[in-house]
Amino acid sequence: KTEGSLDEGNEVTVDGELYIKDPGDVHYRPEVNLNSFWACVKSHVRDDIYCVVDEEGIEHEVERRRLRLRKRHTICVAHVSDDMKHDRFAMKTFSIKELEDVESYMRENFPNDIPAGNITHLHLHSDNAATHFKSTGAMESFTSFTTSRGGTLKCKYIWSFGAPGHGKGFFDGMGG
């Protein structure tokens, strides 16, 4: 959200969504603005100017259009199935359904953040539990997922593995 009024104490990112662009370059890849920073709204100065304080306590007067309101949204997804296999086919089905739900939520609540109509960068974290999540079939699922969204030039998919929790750890969200 880069428009509308902000309240004292709101957390914002300054220039966080602005990219360094060179649209004339055929091999254009956007780069994140490394000069962006997190801040907290101190006051509304005038018109569309806000006073924000960065993490070092330095005050900045910034136009509203450059401030991105930071607000956490949590979406909980659970799947119930009679199928006890939980193999790569189940994983693929559940992953696609979850992504569709998240994209629908984004289109309804944040249409400016999903201009192409779908998510183009996705990071999946696995607790490294069973080998069926790291099989060639699972890799094929994510390859076909990327291909179905325009290929690697239009869709990035990152899959990382952490410590196994088997439903008991931080990475397991609701507790598995």
Side-chain angles (χ1 to χ4, degrees):
K1 178 178 168 185
T2 56
E3 50 193 38
S5 62
L6 295 171
D7 296 324
E8 182 179 332
N10 281 150
E11 294 180 3
V12 294
T13 302
V14 180
D15 296 334
E17 304 303 318
L18 301 178
Y19 290 94
I20 303 164
K21 298 180 180 181
D22 182 6
D25 183 2
V26 177
H27 303 288
Y28 158 71
R29 297 250 198 280
E31 295 181 34
V32 174
N33 181 358
L34 298 178
N35 295 318
S36 65
F37 60 93
W38 173 89
C40 190
V41 174
K42 181 178 179 183
S43 63
H44 181 216
V45 179
R46 67 186 174 285
D47 301 325
D48 68 338
I49 305 294
Y50 285 83
C51 177
V52 299
V53 180
D54 67 21
E55 61 186 6
E56 295 175 1
I58 300 171
E59 294 184 5
H60 307 267
E61 287 193 2
V62 184
E63 297 170 290
R64 174 60 179 103
R65 66 179 179 80
R66 295 177 49 208
L67 300 174
R68 173 86 176 186
L69 178 62
R70 297 167 53 105
K71 185 175 178 183
R72 179 182 298 261
H73 294 261
T74 303
I75 300 171
C76 179
V77 180
H79 300 279
V80 178
S81 171
D82 291 335
D83 183 4
M84 299 300 287
K85 265 184 128 169
H86 298 158
D87 57 7
R88 66 183 170 118
F89 300 107
M91 182 194 67
K92 182 176 182 178
T93 300
F94 295 153
S95 296
I96 289 170
K97 179 61 179 143
E98 290 167 10
L99 183 61
E100 289 171 354
D101 289 347
V102 170
E103 287 177 334
S104 175
Y105 183 82
M106 292 291 294
R107 282 191 293 273
E108 287 177 33
N109 296 285
F110 309 102
N112 293 337
D113 291 339
I114 190 165
N118 59 14
I119 293 173
T120 58
H121 291 70
L122 192 62
H123 184 179
L124 174 72
H125 179 83
S126 173
D127 70 356
N128 213 10
T131 57
H132 62 264
F133 290 114
K134 297 179 279 185
S135 69
T136 56
M139 293 298 152
E140 184 282 325
S141 294
F142 293 113
T143 301
S144 64
F145 167 80
T146 304
T147 303
S148 72
R149 291 175 167 258
T152 57
L153 291 177
K154 293 186 178 181
C155 178
K156 304 296 181 212
Y157 196 97
I158 299 168
W159 196 9
S160 63
F161 299 93
H166 303 291
K168 300 177 234 50
F170 170 77
F171 296 114
D172 297 305
M174 290 177 43

